[in-house]
Amino acid sequence: MSLFEDDARKPKPAGHEIGSDLSLLSADELENRINLLTAEIARLQAERDRKRASRSAAESLFR
C-alpha cells in the first residue's frame, strides 16, 4: 500500500474550510456554502447568548 492510496481514501472535509480556494466553485456551490456558514454563525451566536445568560444569572445570584 502506498501513501497515495491512503490519500485517496481520506474523506473530503464536510462543508467549508476557511481560506480555501473559491475560484473553482459554481454560484450554486457558493450559495450553499454561504447558507451553511450563516447557519453555523447563528448556532455560535445562540450558544454565546446562552453562556452569557448563564453567567449573568450566576453573577446576579451572588450579588
Side-chain angles (χ1 to χ4, degrees):
M1 186 183 302
S2 73
L3 293 174
F4 297 109
E5 290 174 10
D6 290 340
D7 290 341
R9 287 191 217 160
K10 289 183 183 177
K12 290 185 179 183
H16 178 75
E17 184 177 330
I18 303 298
S20 63
D21 181 16
L22 304 176
S23 64
L24 299 176
L25 298 176
S26 69
D28 286 340
E29 289 170 320
L30 289 168
E31 187 66 32
N32 288 338
R33 288 192 186 201
I34 289 168
N35 292 336
L36 174 76
L37 292 168
T38 300
E40 182 64 7
I41 289 168
R43 189 178 77 90
L44 290 165
Q45 289 172 332
E47 184 63 22
R48 178 202 57 203
D49 294 346
R50 277 191 289 277
K51 289 181 185 250
R52 284 182 177 169
S54 176
R55 182 177 180 163
S56 178
E59 286 175 349
S60 67
L61 182 65
F62 292 106
R63 286 186 185 165

